[in-house]
Amino acid sequence: MKRSSLGHWIALGIGALYFLVPLIATFEFSLRMRRGEYSFDAYRVVLADARFQATFGYSTMLALATIVVGVLLVVPTAYWIQLRLPKLRPVVEFITLLPLVIPAIVLVFGYLRIYNSSSLLPMTSNERATDLLLTFGYVTLALPYMYRAVDNGLRAIDVRTLTEAAESLGASWPTILFRIIFPNVRVAVLSGAFLTFAIVIGEFTFAALLDRPAFGPYLQLIGANRAYEPSALAIIAFAVTWACMGLINVVGRASRGATPTVP
Amino acid sequence: MTETAASQVVPPRTRLALPDGFSWAWLGVMPFFLFAVMFLILPTGFLVVGAFQDNEGHFTLRNIVNLFQPSILNAYWISIKVSAVSAVVGAIFGFFLAYAAIAGGVASWIRPTLMTFSGVASNFAGVPLAFSFLATLGRTGLVTALLIKYLDFNIYSTGFNLLSFSGLVITYLYFQIPLMVLIMAPAIDGLKREWREASTILGASTWQYWRYIALPVLWPSLFGTTLLLFANAFGAIATAYALTGSSLNIVTILLFAQIRGDVLHDQNLGYALALGMILITGLSNGAYIWLRSRSERWQR
């Protein structure tokens, strides 16, 4: 027993080394901008860069739009599948897994062919329309995660009883969805939302090929032209990802403390 | 409680039982299916059909035949090698890490820490990941510099280059290993303590326990998740693009260049390139889903 736990510690030690060294190295590198001493100059330069602010703001807006569209698409569907069409569950689950099967670059290639400016639905003809297309693309990318999160949330509550209780009290469908179902899967929706945010904020392929000024293409541009700023940006990106994952844990833990609506 | 019972008798029940309730129920999932058709099925279908058409829209197998030219085959081959090596190595290390954290013998804070970190690292892909490894193992990276300074060992004199095959594999492992940890953890949890105890009581060695009990139970998840990691690496582009520019000829970068500027000088050949990718990721993901359904039999 002693010897085997030593082996476990060694495995974990090597793992920690592999995962922490690049973070330490990146952080160290990001401090090297001023010759001969450590400074936060790289961060100052990055944060003051107008393009950083513009692209980060743009990607944040896109992420929020993606979350709103994704939630409005997924929650009613998953709810309806659970309540009325359980036979369709395998079909819907299969579709939500497709974005993992079809590479993102293939999807965006298809978008560019189908929604180009000479097509029936020219979604790349002006910037607003392309933003919309990009949002829908991101909803697609986030679909596997959002659907899984919401579906797990719905399975944990008694959808049928809640719906029937609301119906018998005279609630309309919008009321049931927005005042009964949504609040009950709040935690699941938030988990899906934070994960979506983490995926969208630095996404490169869709944004670059649809030619929109998002954070991902900006990162790539800086990486190709600067020395120390990329490291600072990598640390910032890591912090954002960490914050998203941390928030998922926080809302998950908070909900476990609270009393569930339906025991 | 009585309210719930009462509600089962009044209107909602009758509405559920209506024969024409079926068509009305379908309406509820129409937005989802419309979305799936518009942003998943049609775009993919367009490329798949286009792969079998010439410029005038006539059926042809020429595009598929043209895929077998050296530069394209080479791109597929490098992609497959990078994905396979990073998947297998990632699966092995990920499994050991997960097993070490879960199977006991270590402090109890290890497991939640590892799982949280894995959630972060598996999502920390793309362009920033490339920056991190350039700062670590690039020509002026910290580890490269420290090795020269203290061990007088220049990894670049051994032929190592971060902007090449081995460098890409090492970088990809940063999201492959955590993904393996996240997916394997439930499967390892499914190994019941009693199985180990029973086999020990019956005189089985550790090797025998693994050979005859643990591995036969785990292999569908192990093999399936390895396939998932393979597909995950195969479709990735941002990290490789930020790391190597377009100097490394992997298939996603070739397709990226094709979309941007028609480097193949043949639009339909681009569709065939995409079709090849869909086939490879589709097959490995399909096998993963099938194997996962097999492995779930042990997990309840």
Side-chain angles (χ1 to χ4, degrees), chain A residues 245-257:
Chain A
M245 298 301 132
L247 284 170
I248 292 177
N249 281 353
V250 169
V251 294
R253 214 171 298 142
S255 79
R256 246 172 277 146

Side-chain angles (χ1 to χ4, degrees), chain A residues 18-19 80 84 101 113 115, chain B residues 16 25 38 170 174 271 281:
Chain A
Y18 174 75
F19 284 104
W80 203 244
R84 291 288 170 86
V101 176
R113 290 287 146 258
Y115 302 114
Chain B
L16 273 178
M38 281 183 71
I170 291 178
Y174 205 85
Y271 301 159
T281 55

Side-chain angles (χ1 to χ4, degrees), chain B residues 99-128:
Chain B
Y99 189 78
I102 291 170
V106 294
S108 59
W109 56 268
I110 292 276
R111 178 180 179 159
T113 311
L114 178 70
M115 298 311 278
T116 307
F117 185 85
S118 296
V120 178
S122 63
N123 284 295
F124 182 64
V127 183

Side-chain angles (χ1 to χ4, degrees), chain B residues 218-241:
Chain B
L218 284 179
W219 87 263
S221 346
L222 275 173
F223 187 53
T225 313
T226 310
L227 288 170
L228 180 80
L229 298 190
F230 174 85
N232 188 37
F234 193 85
I237 170 168
T239 308
Y241 189 75

